[in-house]
Every structure is written in structure tokens, then in C-alpha cells.
Amino acid sequence: MNAASLLIEPVKPDNGWPPPYLLYLGDAPDELSAKTARGVAQFRPEACIGQFRGPNCQVDLGLPDMTPADACAKGARTMLVGVANAGGRMDPASVAHVVQALEAGLNVASGLHALLADQPAIAAAAQARGLTLFDARVPPATGVGTGLRRAGKRLLTVGTDCSIGKMYTTLVIAEEMRRRGMRADFRATGQTGIFIAGQGVPLDAVVADFISGAIEWLSPERHDGGWDVIEGQGSLFHASFAGVTLGLLHGAQPDALVLCHEPGRPHMRGLKHYPLPSLMTALDASLSAARLTNPAVRAVGVALNTSKVDDAEAERLCRETEDRLGLPTQDPLRHGVGRIVDEVRERFP
């Protein structure tokens, strides 16, 4: 399975971040910090012209290095801020680079919690050039969750940790369903997914009381026999972000859960004092929480992120996990998700 082969719906030019894109990496210190840019490059490669890196950047997406002026000359229309950090801050160097992009004639889109328009220099440069600033982490206005059962079928990815492959898994499952003639829609709940799909809800920017209601809004009733495939966020076992995960589980009312995990990860992301839970512990807790709004929820598979091991070890890990949990286990990007979707069709004919 190659991420670039997925048939992601093209982003519409009127959504505030028209392609083609220059992906901004700034001084990203590691791969996880550039996950937004990498996700867009992998799932929307046709829309990405180049990358703009700071002098201390430790990440290379394999795209041509360009300045904003270079990218604009090549036809780019938007610089997409593709980095993330704890708290979603924007440092002075990033502000200067965004102003440079605007002065070159590019719109700018960002997934950081720090809003572009709240930076005076950025707001002034955009206004002077008549360009658009788009912040993916500005949620729509929604109500609180009701927990009322609604029509339709929903699959949700959950994880043992953050940044572990939930979005990738969701995208690949939705595409595999469509390839088989099933109706399926990817529902983005994070900034990277929103940039890929062109719409969604930035769940970690929603006021806590409204998290479950935002997911009810994102995945409303459907009567066509199809599936909403909902991107998971965080982990019930991550001390920083478990609240978002719980609200998502309640609002999604999932019929099916897929557990995502990266074997060998030494501790929770950003919390060296917290080990990862066992797969069975994470799965049981997720099912228990989901039963509040859908008592009939079932686990249908495990998605392993085996990107740090070779093919033979990846196969061994998948077999071992499958034997232990009794669920089809695959690496979505390495092996596809055919057997997981088989399980969905068998359990939900």
C-alpha cells in the first residue's frame, strides 16, 4: 500500500488554502514535529511544490527546497505551516517566515493553536497584499453532545498514544472501503486531516463541554448504508490529552473500533514518566468508554505502525499481536487494511 495511491478528494480552491502548496518546516527538530507537513506530502503529493526549511531544520520531506519567492514563481498559491509543537506556539522566526511568504504573494494556512491573525505583523502583511490567512484550529460553532442514537455506521480509530498512526489508518480504511464499492467518508478531527480532506473539526481546539457535540455535528445521521470513518485523537492513557479522546469516543458513537499502536515506543509522547499501556488494556478501556453512547460497539482490528523495523519483523509483530488479541492486525501503509475491512463487513453485513 502506497499512501500516494489513495484517492483523496481534492481540496477545493475556495476553502481558504488553495493549492499548490509550499510546505513550511521551520526548524522542526524531529519527524513528529513535522507530522502535518509529512501527512500532506504523503496524501496530497500532487498539491505540494516544495518545502521551506529553517537553518536548524532536522526534517527533509524529499521535496525541492524553495524560498517563498521561488515557490510563488513555480505556481504555489499557499504556504502551509506544517509544524507542530507543545502548545502550538509561533516563535519570532516563524512569524518572520510567514511575513516573507505573504510578501512573496502566498496565502498562508496554519494548524498551530497560535492564530495567524493574532500576530500583528502577519495580519498587516496579509491585509497589505489582500491575501488570505486560514487557521485550521478555529472550530465551527456547535452544541453540546446529546448522546441520542443516530442513524448510520461509524468506525473510529483509537490509540495507545498520540501521534501513532490514527489519521493514516483512518484514511487508508476509508479508501479501502471505497475501493470495494462501499460508501465511506473520512471525517477529520485534527489539523493535518483537515488540510488533506479540505474540511473537519479541530477537536483539540473545541471547548471541553462541546467536544462530543462537535463530533455529533461532524458525523450526523446518514441513511445510505455507508460508513463515517472518524479520525481518532490522543489516547485515554495520555495524561495531557485523554479528555479529548473521551469526548471523541462519546460523540462518535462508534460501531467499530480499530486500535492503533507503535511497537517499541519507550514512553508516552512528551511524558517520559508514563509508559504505554498494554494493547489489551487500551482496547478494553476504549470499548468500555464507547459503550456509554453505543453499547453494541465492537473491536474490528489493530493497526500497527512498523515504520522503524524491517519487513520480517513487521510481519512477526503483526502475527504475534493477532494471536494475542484475536483481531486482524496489519500495518496500513505497509500491508494495507484489507483484512480489517473484511472483519468490518463480516461483523456489520
Side-chain angles (χ1 to χ4, degrees):
M1 171 67 68
N2 186 327
S5 69
L6 298 183
L7 303 177
I8 303 302
E9 290 294 321
V11 175
K12 298 176 177 60
D14 61 354
N15 65 3
W17 65 95
Y21 307 134
L22 172 66
L23 300 180
Y24 177 63
L25 301 178
D27 288 323
D30 54 42
E31 293 289 337
L32 284 178
S33 64
K35 66 176 185 176
T36 294
R38 184 167 294 283
V40 175
Q42 286 192 297
F43 288 99
R44 295 293 315 285
E46 80 292 345
C48 300
I49 281 181
Q51 61 187 13
F52 178 27
R53 299 191 292 168
N56 299 311
C57 185
Q58 301 299 308
V59 179
D60 186 351
L61 301 179
L63 293 168
D65 285 298
M66 296 182 181
T67 66
D70 294 334
C72 198
K74 294 285 188 180
R77 297 182 62 195
T78 300
M79 186 174 84
L80 196 155
V81 178
V83 290
N85 54 53
R89 303 178 307 276
M90 183 169 279
D91 61 24
S94 297
V95 172
H97 285 148
V98 169
V99 170
Q100 182 182 347
L102 291 162
E103 291 176 343
L106 296 174
N107 302 293
V108 178
S110 171
L112 296 173
H113 282 293
L115 303 184
L116 294 168
D118 288 345
Q119 305 293 327
I122 291 175
Q127 183 175 15
R129 295 298 302 269
L131 293 165
T132 300
L133 301 175
F134 177 82
D135 286 292
R137 272 189 162 123
V138 176
T142 63
V144 299
T146 66
L148 293 173
R149 187 65 183 153
R150 57 197 191 276
K153 291 180 286 188
R154 294 169 186 84
L155 182 149
L156 174 69
T157 51
V158 294
T160 54
D161 193 8
C162 305
S163 304
I164 213 158
K166 295 182 289 294
M167 183 200 71
Y168 281 52
T169 300
T170 310
L171 283 163
V172 178
I173 288 174
E175 175 52 28
E176 177 64 17
M177 287 179 166
R178 289 193 293 267
R179 190 186 68 79
R180 297 183 182 207
M182 302 167 68
R183 293 184 177 91
D185 294 290
F186 168 68
R187 302 299 186 188
T189 60
Q191 70 272 21
T192 309
I194 291 171
F195 286 136
I196 292 168
Q199 57 186 353
V201 171
L203 202 59
D204 61 1
V206 175
V207 173
D209 278 357
F210 297 88
I211 290 175
S212 61
I215 298 304
E216 291 181 2
W217 175 87
L218 179 68
S219 177
E221 285 197 349
R222 63 184 299 165
H223 300 275
D224 61 355
W227 285 83
D228 278 1
V229 186
I230 303 171
E231 175 190 6
Q233 292 293 327
S235 168
L236 288 176
F237 293 86
H238 198 291
S240 303
F241 310 119
V244 174
T245 308
L246 184 61
L248 174 52
L249 277 159
H250 292 163
Q253 296 182 6
D255 299 281
L257 290 183
V258 173
L259 178 66
C260 302
H261 175 66
E262 182 184 1
R265 186 175 285 203
H267 53 75
M268 304 297 283
R269 187 188 179 195
L271 300 179
K272 293 183 178 180
H273 49 297
Y274 272 89
L276 267 68
S278 72
L279 289 172
M280 185 60 75
T281 297
L283 187 60
D284 286 346
S286 297
L287 287 166
S288 178
R291 289 188 185 109
L292 177 70
T293 54
N294 186 354
V297 61
R298 298 179 177 184
V300 295
V302 179
L304 294 187
N305 176 350
T306 65
S307 58
K308 294 180 180 177
V309 301
D310 61 23
D311 288 343
E313 179 65 2
E315 291 286 355
R316 187 193 70 78
L317 288 167
C318 287
R319 286 196 306 270
E320 180 183 273
T321 302
E322 186 159 330
D323 290 344
R324 189 163 70 249
L325 297 186
L327 292 169
T329 302
Q330 298 179 278
D331 182 320
L333 294 186
R334 206 166 206 157
H335 309 129
V337 291
R339 295 176 54 250
I340 294 174
V341 175
D342 287 343
E343 185 78 3
V344 172
R345 298 189 79 166
E346 181 177 340
R347 289 178 175 262
F348 302 92

